[in-house]
Amino acid sequence: MPIRRTLRLIPLVLLAGCTSLTGTTDNSGFLYATLRGTVTRANGTPVPNVEVGVSCVGASNDPVGFTTDATATGAFEVALNMPSIFSPLEGPSFVCRVLTPVTGLPLAERSVTVVVGSNRNARPVTTVSLVVP
């Protein structure tokens, strides 16, 4: 499943450091999670190929955003890489708003608490279902 991620509101200096995430040791201070879900209609049929947006906030209320596309079956997955500049809530966790479509008024929207960890190879997984009327 192709995944498209976009970090918003992050200085370019932090983005340039993301190349170090391919090694086996992570001293970046990043926090990681995976958000998986589905987009369906109220009758249970999948909404295919729709763009899904994720906007998360932690203790500082500064948002970090990601986008991905759902598959033909309405499934989506996004790897959340939270730079250390975004402080988590206790847990550690972030409150994330998941919505579709990304532009315009959302047809489906949910807020979820996403638990994060410091090991990018053992990301905590949070699931969410979006139901489009």
Side-chain angles (χ1 to χ4, degrees), residues 44-102:
T45 60
V47 178
N49 309 315
V50 67
E51 188 174 27
V52 177
V54 179
S55 176
C56 302
V57 295
S60 65
N61 281 331
D62 291 328
V64 58
F66 305 87
T67 60
T68 191
D69 293 321
T71 65
T73 63
F76 66 89
E77 181 174 301
V78 62
L80 305 176
N81 302 320
M82 306 295 206
S84 58
I85 191 170
F86 297 99
S87 302
L89 300 168
E90 284 193 39
S93 64
F94 287 84
V95 174
C96 298
R97 180 176 169 232
V98 185
L99 61 116
T100 189
V102 174

Side-chain angles (χ1 to χ4, degrees), residues 35 37-42 45-47 50-55 70 74 76 96-112 128-133:
L35 184 65
T38 56
V39 183
T40 61
R41 298 201 181 281
T45 60
V47 178
V50 67
E51 188 174 27
V52 177
V54 179
S55 176
F76 66 89
C96 298
R97 180 176 169 232
V98 185
L99 61 116
T100 189
V102 174
T103 57
L105 296 174
L107 291 176
E109 178 179 357
R110 300 260 334 248
S111 289
V112 295
V128 62
S129 297
L130 295 176
V131 179
V132 175

